[in-house]
Amino acid sequence: MKKIIFFAAVAFASASLFAFDLGDLKGTWQDSNWNADWTFTGDGKIILADSTTGEEVFTFTDENVQDFKIDAGKTGLSVSFKCSETERSYKFTKPIALNADLNMHIDPEWADEDYDVKIKFKK
């Protein structure tokens, strides 16, 4: 029974994540460590904004993102990409869980330490 639930959850999550490329993933997740809101607009953009002021910091689009990938694995589903303008690689993973939080991994090209945090679904 656990295997059936697991595969059903993966199939459902896979359908949701693959829709990202089609513009169906929408919402805002907050990184409270940096007062940062990550908004997936549903039209192929990811907007990074200051959560206290609402000021847009950066917008990721097809024009400034390289190596865009969607992967499904044992730990969940992930969207990853690189951005030469920000000199970082990003990975957002939706673990197999009942909440809507995401694990975010940022790998700055110019630093030895990566940044890993769970970002909470805001709206």
Side-chain angles (χ1 to χ4, degrees):
M1 181 67 171
K2 288 181 182 179
K3 287 183 182 181
I4 293 172
I5 293 171
F6 172 77
F7 287 115
V10 169
F12 175 78
S14 295
S16 298
L17 191 58
F18 286 112
F20 172 78
D21 209 21
L22 302 174
D24 288 339
L25 179 61
K26 296 179 186 177
T28 299
W29 286 261
Q30 184 175 46
D31 177 357
S32 57
N33 293 336
W34 290 95
N35 294 325
D37 281 348
W38 292 86
T39 301
F40 291 74
T41 64
D43 62 358
K45 295 179 188 171
I46 301 171
I47 299 171
L48 172 60
D50 184 311
S51 63
T52 56
T53 65
E55 180 181 345
E56 186 176 307
V57 176
F58 195 83
T59 300
F60 299 92
T61 65
D62 287 337
E63 287 79 36
N64 60 20
V65 165
Q66 302 83 40
D67 300 330
F68 180 83
K69 296 177 188 166
I70 298 174
D71 293 312
K74 292 180 183 178
T75 59
L77 301 160
S78 63
V79 172
S80 61
F81 56 89
K82 294 178 182 179
C83 178
S84 58
E85 286 183 52
T86 62
E87 298 180 334
R88 293 170 176 86
S89 296
Y90 302 86
K91 184 175 185 178
F92 297 89
T93 302
K94 170 60 181 105
I96 299 171
L98 296 178
N99 64 41
D101 299 340
L102 300 176
N103 294 331
M104 181 176 66
H105 174 83
I106 300 176
D107 180 6
E109 296 172 8
W110 39 265
D112 292 333
E113 287 190 38
D114 296 346
Y115 180 66
D116 290 292
V117 67
K118 180 180 285 195
I119 55 178
K120 300 284 188 178
F121 181 69
K122 191 172 175 180
K123 59 179 180 169

